[in-house]
Amino acid sequence: MNMAPAQVSSNPRTVEDIFKDYSARRGALVRALTSDVDEFFGFCDPDKENLCLYGHSNGNWEVALPAEEVPPELPEPALGINFARDGMNRRDWLSLVAVHSDSWLVSVAFFFAARLNGNERKRLFNMINDLPTVYEALVDRKHVRDRSGVDNSGKSRHSTKRTSEGQVKSSRVIAEEYEDDDEEHNETLCGTCGGRYNANEFWIGCDICERWFHGKCVRITPAKAEHINHYKCPDCSSKKTRL
């Protein structure tokens, strides 16, 4: 990862090509903030000039100086991410970089999509929205690493399972995306839409009725779920209100 300004290597024109470009850039940024985080952290020296985090269409990430052209060939990511590195909690700083990275990814995608028609742009947005954001990927990784009361294999998906001491595990343990979970839980249905469990989607369980829900059906994102200690679904919440 050198310190030269990023270069644009492609000019995607179709919905599919723009989405591939988005996915490659997103994957690069997720890697920079997760598996390559120590390397990324080292590149963001606060004593250097304004630095940006770029995700390239070839799947590589780069900490680099901003483009010199005015206006730039592509929208630019957040400038000067390195200055706040040592002045913030590391986790908070990475989260801030992730949010700015998501904003940049969308701006690049819709820069390319400006010449598409409305239906094509809507289809592109839906395709993008089906992927977790960089921020969500970062939070999910922390959640998997830090969560307690669940086997790291992810197989203890339900909060209703009891330990040998008879204690109920908290449903703050969110349903994670594990491929080997599909067969065991393929009969689990969303309490809101009735959709069948899919390991590629985010789910959350209610501590009261013990039903499971798509996060999107109850308007809970992985980021919100991280701060929920005791989740009550909309039905259980409304029952308490009526009482």
Side-chain angles (χ1 to χ4, degrees):
M1 312 305 169
N2 58 43
M3 305 298 286
Q7 299 295 318
V8 179
S9 59
S10 63
N11 185 22
R13 296 183 181 277
T14 67
V15 171
E16 288 72 21
D17 286 344
I18 296 171
F19 180 68
K20 287 179 182 178
D21 182 272
Y22 172 90
S23 298
R25 294 177 191 273
R26 173 193 167 278
L29 295 176
V30 169
R31 193 168 64 255
L33 297 176
T34 55
S35 60
D36 296 347
V37 66
D38 290 333
E39 185 180 4
F40 166 67
F41 190 87
F43 277 120
C44 294
D45 187 343
D47 293 331
K48 295 186 181 296
E49 297 183 47
N50 290 306
L51 296 176
C52 304
L53 172 61
Y54 293 89
H56 296 312
S57 56
N58 63 3
N60 292 327
W61 61 268
E62 181 180 23
V63 174
L65 296 171
E68 296 180 357
E69 298 86 357
V70 179
E73 188 173 357
L74 279 180
E76 285 288 295
L79 180 67
I81 58 171
N82 52 313
F83 295 145
R85 190 196 72 176
D86 295 343
M88 297 177 65
N89 173 278
R90 174 165 166 153
R91 175 173 177 165
D92 292 340
W93 177 71
L94 290 173
S95 295
L96 181 63
V97 174
V99 170
H100 279 293
S101 296
D102 283 316
S103 176
W104 176 69
L105 284 172
V106 172
S107 68
V108 171
F110 278 78
F111 174 85
F112 289 133
R115 294 177 177 83
L116 300 178
N117 63 42
N119 287 333
E120 289 173 327
R121 286 194 300 274
K122 183 177 181 179
R123 183 159 66 93
L124 174 63
F125 177 80
N126 288 336
M127 293 169 71
I128 289 174
N129 205 39
D130 283 339
L131 289 176
T133 64
V134 175
Y135 175 75
E136 288 172 336
L138 176 67
V139 169
D140 279 351
R141 183 181 177 86
K142 291 174 191 165
H143 186 58
V144 171
R145 184 186 62 221
D146 297 337
R147 63 198 169 120
S148 60
V150 68
D151 185 335
N152 284 337
S153 69
K155 293 182 180 179
S156 296
R157 178 175 170 271
H158 288 284
S159 64
T160 56
K161 293 188 180 296
R162 295 179 179 268
T163 65
S164 58
E165 294 81 12
Q167 297 297 317
V168 178
K169 293 180 179 179
S170 170
S171 72
R172 186 170 185 269
V173 178
I174 307 302
E176 301 290 342
E177 296 87 349
Y178 291 93
E179 293 181 2
D180 59 359
D181 241 9
D182 275 341
E183 184 175 349
E184 181 182 355
H185 302 296
N186 61 4
E187 296 304 318
T188 300
L189 303 179
C190 174
T192 297
C193 72
R196 195 176 300 277
Y197 170 71
N198 185 327
N200 294 319
E201 298 175 312
F202 174 75
W203 289 64
I204 186 168
C206 177
D207 278 300
I208 306 301
C209 66
E210 300 179 348
R211 291 183 299 165
W212 285 85
F213 302 84
H214 290 111
K216 61 186 178 182
C217 288
V218 291
R219 299 179 180 274
I220 299 293
T221 65
K224 288 183 180 179
E226 189 182 18
H227 302 288
I228 297 175
N229 292 319
H230 191 81
Y231 177 68
K232 289 188 291 186
C233 69
D235 285 347
C236 291
S237 296
S238 63
K239 288 176 183 176
K240 183 175 180 180
T241 301
R242 288 196 296 269
L243 294 175

